Amino acid sequence: MASTFDRRLAQAGHLSVVTVQQSWVGRAQNGGMTEHNADYTRALNNAERILGFSLAPYVDPRPTEPDNAYDFTRIATEHAFNDAWTRGEHLDLRTRALISVTITASLGILEPLRGQLRIALHNGVTKEEIVEAFIQMAVYAGVARAFDSYAVAREVFSEHDEADSPQGN
């Protein structure tokens, strides 16, 4: 029986971690992917908390993908959301998110920057703090890179504002 949370996810067009895990088990029994493990489940749950939505639908390999696609998504997800994002001894989640925005912006990888901006905003980083990071980035990584990154940030800020407005709900 589906939980209230799972039903809400389904209504919003998302699959719950449990639904995706059940599909893995079924595919494993039919010669597909291997069964998930506790570390992967924990990583998916951590990702959902950090991202604000379920990552599972995006990492579940499609039937046409190579057999080792599951291994790739499992390893990458565990590494990011069990090993890196959950570290809290020296940097809190807000600071880690702001650093990740700055790194992806400095590298000029604009699509991952969108995701890092969403994570940052979801975890309490303000738009003003993001802009300050871009000001520092302009000095140390280049003005052109900072302008490209800020253009992406503007789009994500608009999405965020729209989602938070009473009309966006």
Side-chain angles (χ1 to χ4, degrees):
M1 174 172 256
S3 70
T4 302
F5 179 71
D6 290 338
R7 283 191 297 276
R8 279 194 222 143
L9 281 174
Q11 288 170 346
H14 301 291
L15 295 174
S16 72
V17 172
V18 172
T19 303
V20 174
Q21 289 168 351
Q22 289 167 346
S23 74
W24 291 331
V25 172
R27 286 171 66 180
Q29 291 168 348
N30 295 322
M33 294 179 281
T34 59
E35 193 171 328
H36 70 282
N37 63 35
D39 288 338
Y40 190 52
T41 300
R42 188 175 333 104
L44 288 172
N45 289 333
N46 288 337
E48 187 167 338
R49 181 178 50 79
I50 292 164
L51 296 167
F53 61 87
S54 176
L55 183 64
Y58 304 102
V59 297
D60 186 19
R62 310 302 183 267
T64 57
E65 292 183 52
D67 289 341
N68 61 348
Y70 169 76
D71 293 330
F72 164 71
T73 59
R74 179 186 52 76
I75 291 167
T77 302
E78 286 179 18
H79 182 61
F81 293 102
N82 278 347
D83 299 338
W85 275 102
T86 58
R87 294 174 52 85
E89 185 178 347
H90 301 289
L91 293 175
D92 63 20
L93 188 57
R94 281 182 79 260
T95 304
R96 190 177 315 287
L98 187 56
I99 289 169
S100 295
V101 164
T102 307
I103 291 168
T104 54
S106 295
L107 291 171
I109 48 178
L110 302 182
E111 197 52 42
L113 174 59
R114 289 178 197 286
Q116 296 304 324
L117 286 162
R118 290 178 184 122
I119 289 170
L121 292 167
H122 179 73
N123 288 283
V125 176
T126 67
K127 292 184 248 181
E128 292 79 10
E129 290 169 322
I130 292 169
V131 173
E132 283 297 322
F134 289 159
I135 290 169
Q136 293 302 308
M137 194 183 97
V139 172
Y140 295 103
V143 172
R145 184 65 45 89
F147 271 113
D148 286 347
S149 299
Y150 187 70
V152 172
R154 275 186 175 149
E155 293 172 14
V156 174
F157 292 166
S158 292
E159 278 176 22
H160 187 260
D161 290 345
E162 199 170 289
D164 281 349
S165 74
Q167 298 156 346
N169 292 334

